[in-house]
Amino acid sequence: MVTYAQLWEVDPVAWRAVGAAWRGLVAMVERRRAALVTAAGGLGAAWKGAAGAAAAGQVTRLGDPLLAARAAFLEVDQVLAGHAAALVRARAALAAVSTLTEIDRHGRVTPADAALQGRVDGALRLADAADRSAAARLAALSAEAARGWPAVAPL
């Protein structure tokens, strides 16, 4: 369960930045794949015949796993951006309550008020649900990556 202190300390901007870094990997793998295609073209030009064509094809195919990972990189970005957005909403809910009453370091409102405590608890549940959902989606992506993607994924 996400604690009150954890929710106040979390930096949603950092989560978005990490997601953007994953999105940035798409361009990098596309450049690497293009370099392999260029190298394969040079190989095919220098090595004539069926063996040269086969070698060039093999070098080109080395980049297929890179391209297959692009969709996963974008999905990681989406998961982290969604997580950051949920954290922003949860923190805003806490901030709204904190303007109405005091909240101790354990997330308890003082003086005791069931409605305000419910809002604090709801914010913590929102953050916890976002955390669990992001963790589950990232675990599924990791498992899929470990199995390998069977083909180049379309974007």
Side-chain angles (χ1 to χ4, degrees), residues 32-49 51-62:
R32 296 291 184 249
R33 172 60 159 64
L36 285 170
V37 170
T38 299
L43 181 62
W47 188 358
K48 302 294 184 203
Q58 188 64 21
V59 169
T60 298
R61 283 188 296 280
L62 288 173

Side-chain angles (χ1 to χ4, degrees), residues 4 7 14 27 32 36-37 46 53 59 62 74 85 97 99 121 133 136 144 148:
Y4 175 76
L7 184 53
R32 296 291 184 249
L36 285 170
V37 170
V59 169
L62 288 173
L74 293 173
V97 174
T99 65
D121 294 345
S133 174
E144 191 175 345

Side-chain angles (χ1 to χ4, degrees), residues 16-155:
R16 282 193 293 269
V18 171
W22 278 92
R23 185 176 59 248
L25 290 174
V26 172
M28 188 218 35
V29 299
E30 288 172 346
R31 285 191 308 273
R32 296 291 184 249
R33 172 60 159 64
L36 285 170
V37 170
T38 299
L43 181 62
W47 188 358
K48 302 294 184 203
Q58 188 64 21
V59 169
T60 298
R61 283 188 296 280
L62 288 173
D64 289 348
L66 294 173
L67 293 183
R70 292 179 307 176
F73 295 161
L74 293 173
E75 190 170 349
V76 169
D77 173 37
Q78 292 170 350
V79 168
L80 297 177
H83 184 59
L87 293 174
V88 166
R89 289 190 307 275
R91 285 174 53 115
L94 283 184
V97 174
S98 71
T99 65
L100 302 172
T101 189
E102 290 186 26
I103 307 171
D104 73 13
R105 63 188 178 91
H106 300 291
R108 292 186 296 261
V109 299
T110 53
D113 180 306
L116 293 176
Q117 186 64 57
R119 289 171 62 183
V120 169
D121 294 345
L124 294 174
R125 282 192 301 275
L126 172 62
D128 192 61
D131 193 53
R132 291 176 191 273
S133 174
R137 289 179 65 195
L138 292 172
L141 277 169
S142 177
E144 191 175 345
R147 288 189 300 275
W149 287 277
V152 175
L155 291 179

